[in-house]
Amino acid sequence: MVYIMGLTNISHKEVVKSIANFQNDLLKNPYYLFNDQKAHIVDYLNLNTKKSTLDQALKIPYSNLGINSPLRFNYIHNFYLYGLSRIATNLEMGDFGLESSEVTGEALVLPNTITPYPGDYFIISFINKKKSFLFKVTASTMDTMDDGGNFWKIEYRLESGEDGKRVKNLVDDEDHFEFHTGTVGSNFASIIRKSSWDLAKGLDDAAVMLKQFYLSLFYNKFVQTITCINLYQHSPLNLHSSYFYDPYLVEFIRSNKILSNNGGEYVYMGHKTTLDPSFPFRYAKSIWRIIEQKDINNIGACTILTYAKYIDDPATIFQTRYENYFELVYKFGMTVLDENITPPIQILDQQVVGHVIENQLFDYDSNYAKYNILIKYMNNEQLIAEDLKIFERMQECENNLENFFYVPMAIFCIESYIRGLLAETSY
């Protein structure tokens, strides 16, 4: 007897279909249609519909280029076009001798970036931008991807004898933008005003510099966390160097990813001591939470005083070291330890708190000028380059408690400004 049940076995077909569907699902992302297309970096001149005007009767511009053109463009630097084909021309013998056909082609625009219009231009530069070619968009059509994202297909032609100088004259100074691929498909803007982009990049460079300084000054590889060595008076007759560890500072750095993207190796930040069950409630009343919430109304009442408590827990990594390690205990409305024996340590100078509340900046030649970043952040003021210059003067010997506490605050404020600049949708 011959069994033929195997001929109706469809498990192999179902497995293949499942794998195919899985691969298709992986492609449902903002770059779905462009996985097999090569990206080209161009300078794109997108029609500024708010500033352009047309002839009232004919509804067309007097001229596309030149001093009489009523058109204005947004200049988008380093924009991505996908699928640009290699330039190919056909030579034919015409009435006026040897002639070449028009150079035309098609390209795709990333979804949720710009709306291309017929009459837009883009410039392709070659050989270190010593030679450039101007292309004009002749048509644009919209379609939708499988994941719901909209994309545009444009048709273009080469503008013979033009290198883009005339069309660049139709761009106002404030209408220069930068294209940032890292934010495509996210909640941040991908077309960012160039002044905002330059500021964000400068702030990011400053943040990375501060992260590297902070790690070099305070990261303790022996206990794999941040500590600060400082003279501390344990008793009236006992003054010597000790290492301080602050779980509240660690929580602030960990939850806000302060030391990530530091331009070097990844640094894991976790708690090295056992946290009290009331720690979340105490953290909510600390200066760190006030800064996270930008709660300027309660900064004067938050906790900025700490005391040192010797770490004697044998389960911690600190007990494997011969140095003395102390954990900072925050004062919340009561005396944690005898103040006559263990003097308090300030997280933030009371004078700085007063300047934050009054929105009063320090002079830029003052040692307190570095706190202007915090003052401006808490009062929703804009940063300027002068606010960051004081950090350029930091020395490798400045591993003091002041920088131990404040540098993470400054990094948090700077990165908050960066997120605000990248979230702008002014385009």
Side-chain angles (χ1 to χ4, degrees):
M1 180 179 294
V2 178
Y3 294 92
I4 62 173
M5 291 297 294
L7 297 177
T8 60
N9 187 352
I10 62 172
S11 61
H12 181 268
K13 176 181 178 182
E14 293 297 327
V15 170
V16 174
K17 183 178 179 181
S18 176
I19 294 175
N21 290 336
F22 172 72
Q23 295 294 334
N24 188 49
D25 290 338
L26 291 178
L27 293 176
K28 291 183 178 180
N29 59 65
Y31 296 97
Y32 171 71
L33 196 62
F34 310 105
N35 286 329
D36 62 340
Q37 303 286 346
K38 183 179 179 181
H40 289 76
I41 300 177
V42 304
D43 290 340
Y44 195 94
L45 293 106
N46 189 215
L47 184 67
N48 189 326
T49 56
K50 295 180 180 179
K51 294 185 177 181
S52 300
T53 56
L54 303 176
D55 184 276
Q56 295 299 316
L58 300 176
K59 301 299 181 184
I60 59 175
Y62 305 111
S63 62
N64 286 333
L65 302 177
I67 59 175
N68 294 324
S69 175
L71 302 180
R72 291 296 180 268
F73 294 91
N74 294 321
Y75 196 114
I76 306 174
H77 299 260
N78 302 314
F79 190 70
Y80 279 23
L81 289 180
Y82 282 77
L84 287 173
S85 58
R86 185 182 297 273
I87 295 178
T89 59
N90 294 323
L91 298 178
E92 299 178 355
M93 185 62 68
D95 296 336
F96 301 98
L98 191 63
E99 299 176 349
S100 65
S101 60
E102 283 190 336
V103 176
T104 60
E106 296 180 346
L108 303 175
V109 176
L110 280 175
N112 305 321
T113 53
I114 66 171
T115 300
Y117 299 99
D120 285 355
Y121 294 89
F122 62 89
I123 301 171
I124 299 180
S125 300
F126 299 94
I127 316 176
N128 297 326
K129 295 188 176 183
K130 293 181 179 180
K131 181 66 176 178
S132 59
F133 297 95
L134 180 69
F135 296 84
K136 182 178 181 180
V137 176
T138 57
S140 63
T141 56
M142 188 176 68
D143 203 346
T144 303
M145 299 180 182
D146 292 345
D147 63 349
N150 295 325
F151 73 96
W152 292 89
K153 177 184 289 187
I154 63 172
E155 299 178 9
Y156 61 87
R157 73 164 184 263
L158 175 66
E159 292 287 281
S160 301
E162 289 285 350
D163 58 2
K165 291 183 179 179
R166 289 202 299 164
V167 69
K168 288 179 182 178
N169 293 330
L170 303 178
V171 179
D172 294 337
D173 292 338
E174 68 271 14
D175 292 332
H176 285 263
F177 297 83
E178 187 78 22
F179 178 64
H180 182 41
T181 57
T183 54
V184 174
S186 69
N187 294 328
F188 295 104
S190 56
I191 308 294
I192 306 164
R193 194 172 297 277
K194 199 167 192 315
S195 57
S196 298
W197 170 258
D198 293 339
L199 177 58
K201 193 173 184 307
L203 291 175
D204 185 63
D205 293 340
V208 172
M209 176 195 69
L210 286 178
K211 293 176 183 182
Q212 293 174 347
F213 283 175
Y214 193 77
L215 287 172
S216 64
L217 291 175
F218 300 109
Y219 185 74
N220 189 337
K221 64 180 179 179
F222 297 110
V223 292
Q224 300 174 16
T225 189
I226 55 171
T227 59
C228 180
I229 185 171
N230 195 64
L231 288 174
Y232 191 69
Q233 186 175 0
H234 306 297
S235 66
L237 300 176
N238 188 2
L239 180 66
H240 59 82
S241 297
S242 299
Y243 287 86
F244 292 161
Y245 168 78
D246 186 357
Y248 293 85
L249 172 57
V250 169
E251 177 64 18
F252 178 76
I253 293 175
R254 185 191 64 82
S255 59
N256 294 289
K257 301 179 180 179
I258 298 297
L259 297 179
S260 62
N261 301 320
N262 56 54
E265 296 181 354
Y266 171 76
V267 176
Y268 172 76
M269 190 61 56
H271 290 284
K272 299 299 181 181
T273 58
T274 303
L275 298 179
D276 189 270
S278 62
F279 178 82
F281 300 98
R282 293 175 177 269
Y283 181 81
K285 299 177 182 179
S286 67
I287 181 65
W288 306 107
R289 187 58 178 165
I290 294 295
I291 294 175
E292 288 177 347
Q293 295 183 321
K294 198 184 285 189
D295 188 3
I296 192 173
N297 295 323
N298 292 315
I299 192 172
C302 70
T303 299
I304 60 173
L305 291 181
T306 67
Y307 297 88
K309 176 183 178 183
Y310 180 71
I311 302 176
D312 57 359
D313 186 355
T316 65
I317 192 174
F318 301 108
Q319 287 296 302
T320 64
R321 302 297 303 167
Y322 64 87
E323 304 93 354
N324 291 321
Y325 284 90
F326 289 79
E327 181 178 7
L328 296 183
V329 181
Y330 282 51
K331 178 182 178 182
F332 293 93
M334 59 182 179
T335 302
V336 179
L337 297 173
D338 187 353
E339 296 186 21
N340 295 322
I341 298 177
T342 55
I345 300 172
Q346 282 192 332
I347 302 297
L348 202 61
D349 194 305
Q350 193 63 49
Q351 182 183 1
V352 176
V353 175
H355 276 247
V356 171
I357 296 174
E358 298 296 330
N359 192 14
Q360 181 180 357
L361 299 178
F362 291 98
D363 294 334
Y364 285 106
D365 56 354
S366 167
N367 291 331
Y368 284 89
K370 59 186 175 184
Y371 291 103
N372 288 341
I373 292 177
L374 178 63
I375 296 171
K376 287 189 173 183
Y377 168 76
M378 296 297 292
N379 290 278
N380 298 313
E381 301 285 344
Q382 291 296 322
L383 290 180
I384 59 176
E386 197 72 24
D387 298 322
L388 305 173
K389 288 184 177 180
I390 189 170
F391 290 106
E392 298 176 358
R393 302 195 296 266
M394 285 185 64
Q395 303 294 326
E396 59 182 8
C397 60
E398 296 187 50
N399 55 340
N400 50 47
L401 282 172
E402 184 181 15
N403 288 328
F404 182 64
F405 294 125
Y406 179 64
V407 172
M409 296 181 188
I411 295 173
F412 176 82
C413 297
I414 292 172
E415 292 191 333
S416 297
Y417 275 106
I418 295 174
R419 286 190 291 270
L421 292 170
L422 296 182
E424 290 181 355
T425 55
S426 57
Y427 182 77

